[in-house]
Amino acid sequence: MDEPSKSPMQLLKSLRRNASQGNGQAEQPTPSPREVPDAPDTEEDTAPVRPPLRDRALRVLRSPGTAMVAVLVVFALVNAVVTGRLGGTLTGGRLLPTADLATTWSDYLDAWHAVSGGTGAPAPPSLAVLALLGSVLGGPSVVVSALLLFGAPLAGLSGYLATRGLDVPPLRRALVAGGYALLPASAISAGQGRLDVVVAHVLVPPLLAGIAAVIRRSDGRWLGTACLTAFGLAVLGAFAPLVQLSLILLALLAHVLVPGSGLRGRRRAAGLVALLLLSVACLLPWPVVLLSHPEILLHGLGARVVEQPASVLLAVLSPDGSLPSLAGVLLVLGAVLALAVCFDARMLAGAGVALLGWLVAVVIGTASAAPLTGGVESPGWTGGPLVLVAAGCAWTVLVAKLPALNWKIATPVLAAGFLVLGAASAVGAASGPLQVHQAASGTGTRLVLEPGPQPARLVSGAGPRFGEDDLAPAGAAADWLRQVDEDLASQDGERVRRALAAVAARGADHVIAPSDTRLPELAYDMVVDEGPRPGPTRELRLLVPAAPVKLVGPDLARQAQTEPGPAPEARPLPVDAELPSFSVRISEGGTGRALVLGAENEAGWYATVDGRRVPLATAWGHLVAVPLPAQAAEVQVGYTEMPRTTLLVVQAALVLFTVIAAIPGRPRKVLTALR
């Protein structure tokens, strides 16, 4: 049945009601395409809007991290001025004077070094790092001074930046980084010239963050993160190989303990392999030296010293038991209180780092070994492992979910803690033997008889410099120096005379002896006293022929093949030549004569006579001897550089690959398909 017809007024009201209901429900046609929920956004929609440069600069200046770094810079500058260490080349303790840029490059690149009687051992990669940074910053000595004098602000800055990925307020990050920067163990190490501990103090926080990123990251940038961390580990290993090995062990433990599967697990494994291999390969051929001389891991790099065994005070981050170092207990107490009050599973990572650092410190502080260049057995310095402990304690406090603090109580407590740490660091750094080096002129080769238990050393030029005590001696050079030191310290005139003849055969023309030495009396016909030197020492000049290259006659050459050392009355003829490479023209002479070099006979030496390769011999048990013909001839002697050059090329290629792979790439553009 049809509906009754409606009046015009009712029909108009019905149309208005239907239109009103349709506005909220019906989809209206538009000339633009409909929005597809699954369509990817355009680059303009997803790209973050960066604030203006002025706003970003103001934000950085107002951040707590900037204030923390500024306070630490002022603290370090005042400390450097008060101690008189600002300006010049620093030396003292475990730090030998740093050479200029050209000499530092030469020391690293040369295949043979005139140290401890000559050695072809690879130079430590720390020389390459200082040379690279010194090429930009004004010289290796500037880099060393900046690290030792301003290590605290550098460590605070690295600690603050390394924690950017944590969901932690900037104020707490700045406070924790400031406490870590004022670690008394690091300040004491800086005052004693222990550059390895200072470098570890600066690099450990970002390296821990890099290892954590390698463990967590599963996106397409995993290789860059792994390479960047590997490069940092290589730089750390150039100065502190033990701390580098500890961090690699931490990365492997984290890979085992933290679950990961699928694509994430495969990328993590690949990242760890890249981190492990590249961090070691970038130091070639130095890792081979570490395998041959593991005592370097115990004693670290730097001048040889006699360390004292560690004590139970390692628990409070004290490497030497001194009063200023005891202030490190504040960092340990902060971590213990955080674990006790607000324990969280995230804090276990920092606690694990601290426990591993303590374990390494105990091993290093109790095990003993002789230094690389010889001397009495002693334990290692525990400052490097204690840096790991401090970083673990700081990590534990940083990730703790602390309750709301009453700042009226917390502020004076924190201020008192920072004052104690600052005072302890200042006193610890100032009490060390670090000082500005007073350059002394010197030429030729000298034998230096050092006071105390350290054996004698052969010095060329102005004196020993950074990196020389990290060169592995060739053959029995270390034993020879120890024996010479014992002979010269004896009161037996015959032993003294034979020792001086052996020193002259090495090419040394002077002996630096203690001021109360009796050498001029025991060997009056072999040395002459040239007067006192700075400090309690005297300089003695040898009267017997002393040159790096000598010509010996047939009789003396035959004697050199059977005797352990030259006789005091032996008088070889000095040759005007310098090691390791030289060319001389010899005249006619007797059959059986030879050239004797003041260097250890090791693999790498070669000689040609009139262009033909000749076999080498050994003189006086360990020196290089070149047999000569009776007729006149052209003699060329050198030390091969091919193995060293090949390894340097491989090292440069690996470093270049690591740096390029570590450069972050631009994000891929996402294009929206036209519909």
Side-chain angles (χ1 to χ4, degrees), residues 468-484:
E468 287 192 358
D469 279 359
D470 304 317
L471 292 168
D479 295 334
W480 177 83
L481 280 171
R482 177 184 53 79
Q483 186 62 48
V484 166

Side-chain angles (χ1 to χ4, degrees), residues 595-611:
L595 284 178
V596 177
L597 313 184
E600 286 287 327
N601 192 355
E602 57 177 333
W605 287 102
Y606 66 90
T608 61
V609 177
D610 288 335

